[in-house]
């Protein structure tokens, strides 16, 4: 991923963030060694920020759309109370098998339920209330995911859209993924049901707080 934030500044922020536990370092290393597009992983800075949001909102029920090899899933699980729960959606079986191994090693793995199959089907079968949603799967469905999970989110709950700045391409959208991200950003921006902020953390994060 080309960075739109100065690399030295990002490194400084990284170096002054709570360090990465050994399990996460191994997961990151294996993902980069064995998976295509490993940079999809949120990484330490955004992972720690997600944890902070889980703690600040006292979230107990989380929905993640886009697990990949489970880095962000484990991050949010670690910040949940012992009876908290994260349901995470994925379609890639190779990613799933890696994630399952690391969830099995973690003392927080029991909080995680993996739902294999198209996320939209999983969302349709879920019941609320959900405290926090992290949208990080196929970009062309971002707006659909937002609309589908909105009724399940409690008042005061948070919906987070990752990659809200899509490598800076949102400034001049030229392809379907970028157009979909811009449509999602506009949808949230025009939604009176939420308070929202579009952050420049990593690849951009849209935070929408349901009134
Ligand atoms: C950006 S990655 C998620 C990264 C992950 N949050 C992390 O930090 O490691 C997006 C993932 O969504 C999955 N995905 C794509 N389309 C999907 C769909 N329709 N339903 C569920 N998962 C999907 C992909 O296989 C991919 O692993």
């Amino acid at each position: 991923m080309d960075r739109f934030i100065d690399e030295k500044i990002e490194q400084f922020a990284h170096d002054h963030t709570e360090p990465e536990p050994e399990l996460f370092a191994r997961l990151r290393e294996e993902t980069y060694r064995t998976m295509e597009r490993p940079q999809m992983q949120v990484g330490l800075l955004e992972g720690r920020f997600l944890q902070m949001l889980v703690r600040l909102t006292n979230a107990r029920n989380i929905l993640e759309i886009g697990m990949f090899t489970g880095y962000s899933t484990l991050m949010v699980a670690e910040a949940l109370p012992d009876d908290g729960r994260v349901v995470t959606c994925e379609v890639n079986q190779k990613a799933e098998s890696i994630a399952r191994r690391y969830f099995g090693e973690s003392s927080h793995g029991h909080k995680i339920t993996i739902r294999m199959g198209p996320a939209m089907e999983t969302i349709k079968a879920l019941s609320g209330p959900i405290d926090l949603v992290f949208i990080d799967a196929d970009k062309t469905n971002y707006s659909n995911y937002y609309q589908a999970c909105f009724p399940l989110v409690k008042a005061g709950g948070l919906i987070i859209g990752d990659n809200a700045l899509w490598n800076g391409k949102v400034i001049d959208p030229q392809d379907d993924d970028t157009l979909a991200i811009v449509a999602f950003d506009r949808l949230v921006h025009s939604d009176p049901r939420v308070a929202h902020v579009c952050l420049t953390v990593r690849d951009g994060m849209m935070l929408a707080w349901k009134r």
Side-chain angles (χ1 to χ4, degrees), residues 60-186:
R60 299 183 93 82
N61 288 301
I62 295 177
L63 169 64
E64 176 178 68
I65 303 170
M67 172 181 74
F68 193 39
T69 56
Y71 192 101
S72 52
T73 323
L74 261 185
M75 274 280 169
V76 295
E78 196 180 81
L80 279 170
D82 202 52
D83 61 348
R85 186 159 180 252
V86 47
V87 172
T88 183
C89 309
E90 185 49 61
V91 287
N92 180 330
Q93 290 181 350
K94 186 176 175 193
E96 178 201 10
S97 72
I98 294 175
R100 277 199 193 280
R101 260 194 289 117
Y102 285 86
F103 296 169
E105 270 194 64
S106 167
S107 58
H108 303 277
H110 66 280
K111 303 172 192 169
I112 301 170
T113 304
I114 301 174
R115 292 264 189 266
M116 292 302 289
M120 198 54 78
E121 300 306 312
T122 298
I123 296 168
K124 281 183 194 157
L126 286 178
S127 51
I130 297 170
D131 303 316
L132 188 149
V133 180
F134 181 51
I135 304 175
D136 190 20
D138 47 327
K139 306 307 160 197
T140 48
N141 264 318
Y142 261 40
S143 295
N144 295 331
Y145 292 144
Y146 179 79
Q147 303 281 28
C149 68
F150 199 90
L152 302 174
V153 176
K154 70 167 191 187
L158 198 57
I159 302 175
I160 303 164
D162 198 23
N163 309 102
L165 298 172
W166 202 227
N167 213 4
K169 289 194 268 185
V170 288
I171 301 303
D172 181 22
Q174 297 288 344
D175 57 84
D176 288 348
D177 282 351
T178 312
L179 287 164
I181 292 279
V182 171
F184 167 76
D185 291 340
R186 286 193 181 138

Side-chain angles (χ1 to χ4, degrees), residues 31-32 35-43 46 68 72 90 92 136 139 162-163 202:
T31 303
Y32 272 77
M35 296 296 288
E36 283 174 29
R37 301 180 62 210
Q39 71 282 1
M40 292 196 297
Q41 206 170 53
V42 293
E46 186 174 352
F68 193 39
S72 52
E90 185 49 61
N92 180 330
D136 190 20
K139 306 307 160 197
D162 198 23
N163 309 102
R202 203 182 69 108

